[in-house]
Amino acid sequence: MFEILVVEDDRDLSRTVCRFLNANGYHTTGCLDANSAYDALYETTFDLIISDIMMPEIDGFEFVKTVRSLNENIPILFMTARDDMAAKQRGYRVGVDDYMVKPIDLDELLLRIGALLRRAGIAASRKLTVGSFTMDMDERSATLGDNEIALTAREFSLLYKLLSYPKKTFTRTQLMDEFWDADSASGTRTVDVYMTKLRSKLADCTDFEIVTVHGLGYKAVLK
């Protein structure tokens, strides 16, 4: 059974989320602040963390930075009332994997947790395979059958992200925030250029396609 740590200072919301996840096959531990969460992390090996941002004493940003210094791979989801772009950018930069704005749709939360745990399984194996196409994170290599596909570091990272979450749409801004430096002068249309290059390099691949979601961004669709 997957162990999930819920760090939320709203006692009622914490209880609601924990009960819902427990009823759906997970085992949860609820903490009302970061210090209690640190104690829980020393006592239990968790598979995923859900954290608020605005908490007493230690906020979610500092909490995630500390967790990331100890564990680079555990999936972390922010569940917060902050819907501003600055908070989202800072969250992704300190190491969160997903971001949900309150009020939370519990069914959507369940879907996102499932996707994050699948992604964590891919990260643990360090390999991703879709049909005859394989990406090896350790070697930073991509192969289609017996043929290696030459990808730049950023092309590799973008494609690995899309294939790790099939059918999930990533906006251009999300991809820019994660894969370009904060002081980059590049605009979001730069993402379009990279996707065009990826499509060209993967023209012979019939196992998936990179689909444009008009007005939003991109997603990988498996065939």
Side-chain angles (χ1 to χ4, degrees), residues 149-184:
I149 307 295
L151 300 177
T152 67
R154 185 169 284 144
E155 288 170 350
F156 184 96
S157 297
L158 284 165
L159 184 57
Y160 200 93
K161 182 76 172 186
L162 293 178
L163 288 177
S164 296
Y165 299 89
K167 297 184 180 180
K168 175 179 172 61
T169 298
F170 291 92
T171 67
R172 293 176 178 85
T173 301
Q174 284 177 315
L175 296 173
M176 285 292 297
D177 288 344
E178 184 164 353
F179 298 114
W180 275 262
D181 295 333
D183 57 356
S184 172

Side-chain angles (χ1 to χ4, degrees), residues 77-122:
L77 183 151
F78 264 164
M79 182 175 67
T80 175
R82 292 195 59 175
D83 192 21
D84 56 290
M85 183 54 66
K88 292 179 181 179
Q89 289 177 329
R90 187 178 177 190
Y92 284 115
R93 286 169 188 154
V94 297
V96 301
D97 299 284
D98 206 349
Y99 194 110
M100 291 187 72
V101 177
K102 298 174 183 175
I104 298 298
D105 182 300
L106 292 175
D107 290 325
E108 181 181 355
L109 175 63
L110 195 64
L111 291 173
R112 294 196 183 207
I113 288 171
L116 287 171
L117 290 172
R118 285 193 298 275
R119 171 67 182 85
I122 292 169

Side-chain angles (χ1 to χ4, degrees), residues 30-195:
C31 294
L32 300 177
D33 56 62
N35 284 320
S36 299
Y38 291 142
D39 293 338
L41 285 164
Y42 283 118
E43 296 172 0
T44 304
T45 300
F46 290 98
D47 300 291
L48 182 143
I49 297 172
I50 299 170
S51 176
D52 192 7
I53 292 179
M54 296 178 289
M55 298 185 292
E57 297 185 25
I58 301 171
D59 67 16
F61 298 120
E62 291 303 314
F63 172 65
V64 170
K65 284 176 64 176
T66 301
V67 171
R68 278 287 173 252
S69 70
L70 302 171
N71 188 325
E72 295 181 354
N73 297 319
I74 186 169
I76 303 175
L77 183 151
F78 264 164
M79 182 175 67
T80 175
R82 292 195 59 175
D83 192 21
D84 56 290
M85 183 54 66
K88 292 179 181 179
Q89 289 177 329
R90 187 178 177 190
Y92 284 115
R93 286 169 188 154
V94 297
V96 301
D97 299 284
D98 206 349
Y99 194 110
M100 291 187 72
V101 177
K102 298 174 183 175
I104 298 298
D105 182 300
L106 292 175
D107 290 325
E108 181 181 355
L109 175 63
L110 195 64
L111 291 173
R112 294 196 183 207
I113 288 171
L116 287 171
L117 290 172
R118 285 193 298 275
R119 171 67 182 85
I122 292 169
S125 69
R126 308 288 288 179
K127 283 189 178 183
L128 185 155
T129 300
V130 180
S132 59
F133 183 76
T134 300
M135 302 185 77
D136 189 310
M137 179 62 78
D138 292 324
E139 296 181 0
R140 304 293 288 186
S141 64
T143 55
L144 180 61
D146 296 326
N147 300 316
E148 183 166 353
I149 307 295
L151 300 177
T152 67
R154 185 169 284 144
E155 288 170 350
F156 184 96
S157 297
L158 284 165
L159 184 57
Y160 200 93
K161 182 76 172 186
L162 293 178
L163 288 177
S164 296
Y165 299 89
K167 297 184 180 180
K168 175 179 172 61
T169 298
F170 291 92
T171 67
R172 293 176 178 85
T173 301
Q174 284 177 315
L175 296 173
M176 285 292 297
D177 288 344
E178 184 164 353
F179 298 114
W180 275 262
D181 295 333
D183 57 356
S184 172
S186 301
T188 54
R189 291 298 173 184
T190 302
V191 177
D192 299 337
V193 175
Y194 273 80
M195 293 303 171

Side-chain angles (χ1 to χ4, degrees), residues 133 144 149 151 159 197-206 208 210:
F133 183 76
L144 180 61
I149 307 295
L151 300 177
L159 184 57
K197 291 179 179 178
L198 282 171
R199 284 170 172 155
S200 177
K201 292 182 177 183
L202 297 166
D204 294 330
C205 182
T206 58
F208 65 90
I210 299 172

